[in-house]
Amino acid sequence: MAPSRRILGIDPGSQCTGYGIVDVRGNDMSPVAWGVIHTHPSVPFPDRLYHIHAKLAEVILLHKPTEAAVENVFLARNAASALKLGHARGAAIVTCRAHGIPVHEYSAKEIKMAATGYGAAPKEQVEGMVCRLLGIREALPPDASDALAMAFCRAVTRDLSK
């Protein structure tokens, strides 16, 4: 029987960082957990980054993922937003690596392609497909849905090129 994998998908953001975890055994995949780590804009930015790190570390210690996936290219409204998003992404990656978890990066197009078969699919289509493919019947927060899509992408593309 194929070994089991537990994949943590992370959708980093300076105010909302989504996470989603899936178990994979052979061709079977099931959702384990998902959620959103919230920070408040009035909190000093270094403290927000630390909060992302600390809460993500709690998720890692609780669920013990064997690998992680994050988006490697992101869009932001402006340079300041891009920098903050990059810092949040860095905090998430370092948290995973500090716990010995390998991190794999995928483009938005790769993630959408894995979930829907169409690299330019709208977010709503990605969310709908991820829920269908993982058997989730409840509405998901967008950040958690994106994170599950990243975990799903890692699960189905593992042996292709990464």
Side-chain angles (χ1 to χ4, degrees), residues 10 12 17 52 56 70 87-97 103:
I10 305 168
T17 292
I52 292 166
L56 197 52
V70 297
H87 289 319
R89 185 175 177 276
I93 290 170
V94 168
T95 301
C96 290
R97 292 304 300 130
V103 178

Side-chain angles (χ1 to χ4, degrees), residues 7-12 17-19 56 67-74 88-94 96 102-108 110-111 146-147 149-151 153-154 162:
I7 304 169
L8 168 62
I10 305 168
D11 181 31
T17 292
Y19 66 88
L56 197 52
E67 53 192 297
V70 297
E71 189 174 343
N72 67 357
V73 176
F74 50 83
R89 185 175 177 276
I93 290 170
V94 168
C96 290
V103 178
H104 306 276
E105 300 172 284
Y106 296 92
S107 70
E110 289 174 302
I111 295 162
D146 290 349
M150 288 173 215
C153 177
R154 174 64 186 157
K162 302 291 179 196

Side-chain angles (χ1 to χ4, degrees), residues 12-135:
S14 63
Q15 292 185 34
C16 297
T17 292
Y19 66 88
I21 302 170
V22 297
D23 274 347
V24 182
R25 183 176 286 282
N27 291 327
D28 294 330
M29 192 177 325
S30 57
V32 174
W34 58 85
V36 179
I37 299 165
H38 295 277
T39 66
H40 196 275
S42 67
V43 173
F45 191 66
D47 294 338
R48 290 163 54 192
L49 292 176
Y50 181 76
H51 180 74
I52 292 166
H53 158 75
K55 291 298 181 184
L56 197 52
E58 288 177 14
V59 169
I60 289 169
L61 291 172
L62 177 64
H63 296 289
K64 300 178 179 27
T66 58
E67 53 192 297
V70 297
E71 189 174 343
N72 67 357
V73 176
F74 50 83
L75 300 174
R77 292 181 300 275
N78 58 50
S81 295
L83 282 171
K84 287 181 178 179
L85 187 55
H87 289 319
R89 185 175 177 276
I93 290 170
V94 168
T95 301
C96 290
R97 292 304 300 130
H99 286 87
I101 300 168
V103 178
H104 306 276
E105 300 172 284
Y106 296 92
S107 70
K109 183 177 181 179
E110 289 174 302
I111 295 162
K112 291 175 179 186
M113 183 68 80
T116 68
Y118 178 53
K123 285 176 97 48
E124 299 78 19
Q125 184 179 0
V126 174
E127 178 182 353
M129 282 303 293
V130 166
C131 286
R132 267 183 242 116
L133 293 166
L134 295 175

